[in-house]
Amino acid sequence: MRPVVVIGAGPQGLAAAAHLLERGLEPLVLETGTGPAASVAQWGHVRLFSAWPELIDASAKRLLEPTGWTEPAQAADGTVYPTGAEWIERYLAPLADALGERVRCGATVTGVGRKGRDLSVDAGRANEPFIVNVALADGTEERVEARAVIDASGTWTSPNPAGAEGLPALGEVAARETGIVASRIPTAEEAAGLDGRHIVVVGNGHSAAGAITTLADVVKKDPSTKVTWVLRRGTVGNTFGGGAADELPERGALGKRAGQAVRLGDVEMVTAFRTERIALVGDQAVVTAEDGRELPAADQVYVLTGARPNLDFLSEIRLDLDLRLQAPAKVAAEVDPNEHSCGSVRATGAADLVHPEPDFFIVGAKSYGRAPTFLALTGYEQVRSVVALLAGDKAAAERIELVLPDTGVCGGAGEFDAPAGSQVSGGCCAPAPQATEKADAQDDACCSPASVAPQPISLEPTAPR
Ligand SMILES: Cc1cc2nc3c(=O)[nH]c(=O)nc-3n(C[C@H](O)[C@H](O)[C@H](O)COP(=O)(O)OP(=O)(O)OC[C@H]3O[C@@H](n4cnc5c(N)ncnc54)[C@H](O)[C@@H]3O)c2cc1C
């Protein structure tokens, strides 16, 4: 029997493999890193805002329990929120071990196609297996035949650049080569090493907020340290998250802490700054906006502007992707920050994830394309539903069993062009969250939790091959 190839041994790829095994299908997980969850490992020092029970897939748990694995309930710091490294150590690595040789590390997927047919050929297409091209760590290449493909490769490996248009700013590529510009969240140690320097953080989102709170601690210890937080949008808007209205309290708290750092003056925020150029000047970088504004020379620039799906290796697969988000079209309709209001997102399943190419699915963080609000919970529901469909269990595939927590955030990129300094928010409830007690109260009143109840979805069965 040909395997179902799963691209990526992150939280979602491993969960998909557990579901496949449970359904009697043979998974083969191909992971580019030297170990499982290589992307999570890169932000292993970051504490998650999801609690342990939200980070463990039900089928994976059933696979792990007979191995003597104990379900983690607490993180090392006594909270229920593990770091990325703990997520790997206490759940993802044991899960990869339980899957054994079905997980191959050092195996990078470089292409997916239909056997003997390129993108343009219709004849007999759906009856042919997939061909997956793999580049191995030893420099050799391999072709794997698959009955279905689940792409769970995430987006972390394709970070967005600093340039306001989504293109690298002039000089950005060269500046990245020196290390002065990087897309990573600094560890406490790395941040401490920047004391007395000028650090620029570009971006709006949870990763940027995390970097800001870490750097603000350095400013507290050494006030000669300068931190500048650059936003492309004209207003602070929902940069500080949903605060008390966020149904994930730690996610709300993260934004509040970042907002507090701005309010206390530990961090200077610059809005409506559309990065055009990053010029190296000696050991520093000068960041300039398209309106000519220039930031003081920086010793380190962290570009945390989100990430995008890598579609290069899917050029021969017929995809139904949204033009803006590069996410499966039906998922995009749910998560598009241009239209989305008040943080409530419907859980998505196989019916939202099908493409014109039968038996090919994009799941996990990559299924949200460029949208930033993906949660592991969402992905676990997606892989449950997709694998049920592959196993021919249409009823289970159609069932949506999850209600997602509300972010408490209203509006999105709609406020992009509002005048600098104004606090306008788009969407259903204004004003947007502010880093003040008063505003938090407003958030509570305005953005009361409004999670969307699960709806059954209609699904056409696919022919098993
Ligand atoms: C800083 C940070 C904090 C977060 N906190 C939370 C949180 O608290 N709660 C929550 O629910 N979510 C959180 N997320 C979202 C989080 O990324 C996901 O929940 C989870 O990691 C997504 O899993 P995934 O398997 O879809 O993608 P990933 O974790 O990105 O895994 C994808 C895997 O695919 C591999 N890969 C990529 N390309 C290839 C290729 N071509 N061939 C083979 N392998 C490939 C990668 O190496 C990686 O191991 C956070 C994200 C970040 C960045």
Side-chain angles (χ1 to χ4, degrees):
M1 185 170 64
R2 291 188 181 101
V4 176
V5 162
V6 179
I7 308 174
Q12 301 306 327
L14 293 171
H19 282 272
L20 287 163
L21 210 52
E22 198 169 34
R23 290 277 189 175
L25 299 170
E26 194 50 43
L28 174 61
V29 186
L30 301 169
E31 164 60 46
T32 188
T34 52
S39 292
V40 176
Q42 287 186 19
W43 49 268
H45 56 289
V46 176
R47 190 160 297 287
L48 284 99
F49 45 73
S50 295
W52 267 121
E54 294 152 1
L55 296 167
I56 294 173
D57 172 74
S59 176
K61 187 171 157 176
R62 289 191 288 274
L63 178 66
L64 278 166
E65 271 164 352
T67 68
W69 169 81
T70 315
E71 183 174 356
Q74 272 201 337
D77 72 345
T79 69
V80 291
Y81 305 102
T83 60
E86 286 176 286
W87 197 14
I88 295 175
E89 188 192 328
R90 299 184 61 194
Y91 166 64
L92 297 167
L95 178 55
D97 286 345
L99 288 161
E101 291 181 355
R102 297 178 184 97
V103 179
R104 287 176 67 186
C105 293
T108 305
V109 172
T110 54
V112 183
R114 282 282 182 185
K115 190 170 187 180
R117 281 144 183 85
D118 69 16
L119 187 72
S120 64
V121 179
D122 284 345
R125 187 175 186 90
N127 299 321
E128 291 299 326
F130 289 95
I131 295 292
V132 180
N133 282 1
V134 189
L136 300 169
D138 64 6
T140 60
E141 286 181 300
E142 223 176 82
R143 265 159 72 95
V144 178
E145 290 197 4
R147 62 151 289 192
V149 175
I150 299 177
D151 181 356
S153 60
T155 58
W156 178 258
T157 50
S158 311
N160 287 330
E165 296 79 18
L167 303 170
L170 297 176
E172 180 176 347
V173 174
R176 279 180 185 269
E177 280 164 14
T178 67
I180 294 180
V181 175
S183 290
R184 64 170 180 270
I185 304 166
T187 61
E189 295 72 33
E190 180 180 346
L194 292 168
D195 60 338
R197 314 280 183 88
H198 177 211
I199 306 118
V200 171
V201 176
V202 185
N204 166 58
H206 296 113
S207 294
I212 287 296
T213 54
T214 302
L215 293 165
D217 289 343
V218 181
V219 176
K220 286 253 178 300
K221 288 190 190 122
D222 180 352
S224 72
T225 311
K226 181 175 167 56
V227 178
T228 308
W229 189 359
V230 168
L231 297 187
R232 182 176 60 173
R233 56 179 57 192
T235 69
V236 171
N238 59 24
T239 300
F240 303 145
D246 194 323
E247 288 185 348
L248 293 179
E250 274 306 299
R251 186 172 58 187
L254 173 64
K256 277 177 78 173
R257 284 196 294 273
Q260 181 87 335
V262 174
R263 196 159 57 87
L264 294 176
D266 294 338
V267 169
E268 186 185 338
M269 184 172 256
V270 180
T271 56
F273 191 99
R274 294 172 188 179
T275 304
E276 182 182 88
R277 184 182 295 273
I278 302 180
L280 287 172
V281 181
D283 289 343
Q284 293 183 304
V286 175
V287 183
T288 311
E290 66 179 25
D291 61 8
R293 274 183 294 164
E294 196 174 89
L295 301 179
D299 300 284
Q300 183 69 54
V301 180
Y302 294 111
V303 178
L304 294 165
T305 47
R308 56 184 61 172
N310 177 5
L311 300 171
D312 294 350
F313 60 82
L314 302 181
S315 64
E316 303 313 307
I317 293 295
R318 296 178 177 181
L319 300 173
D320 178 18
L321 295 181
D322 177 72
L323 285 174
R324 290 182 286 197
L325 294 187
Q326 298 178 304
K330 288 184 187 147
V331 178
E334 288 299 320
V335 302
D336 188 346
N338 289 289
E339 294 173 1
H340 193 53
S341 63
C342 272
S344 49
V345 174
R346 176 176 66 76
T348 44
D352 304 294
L353 296 162
V354 285
H355 290 281
E357 194 77 63
D359 296 339
F360 180 89
F361 301 91
I362 296 173
V363 300
K366 190 169 183 175
S367 76
Y368 271 35
R370 295 180 180 221
T373 46
F374 178 78
L375 289 175
L377 271 180
T378 310
Y380 295 154
E381 177 60 9
Q382 289 179 342
V383 297
R384 183 202 61 75
S385 173
V386 161
V387 172
L389 182 65
L390 287 173
D393 185 348
K394 187 168 167 264
E398 284 183 348
R399 220 170 35 237
I400 293 287
E401 298 175 353
L402 172 73
V403 176
L404 286 165
D406 197 295
T407 61
V409 167
C410 306
E415 62 207 359
F416 182 82
D417 276 323
S422 74
Q423 302 291 341
V424 199
S425 170
C428 63
C429 42
Q434 308 290 304
T436 63
E437 293 308 313
K438 184 162 175 264
D440 286 343
Q442 285 172 330
D443 296 345
D444 285 337
C446 164
C447 292
S448 57
S451 303
V452 175
Q455 304 286 330
I457 49 178
S458 164
L459 206 51
E460 289 305 312
T462 56
R465 250 194 319 276

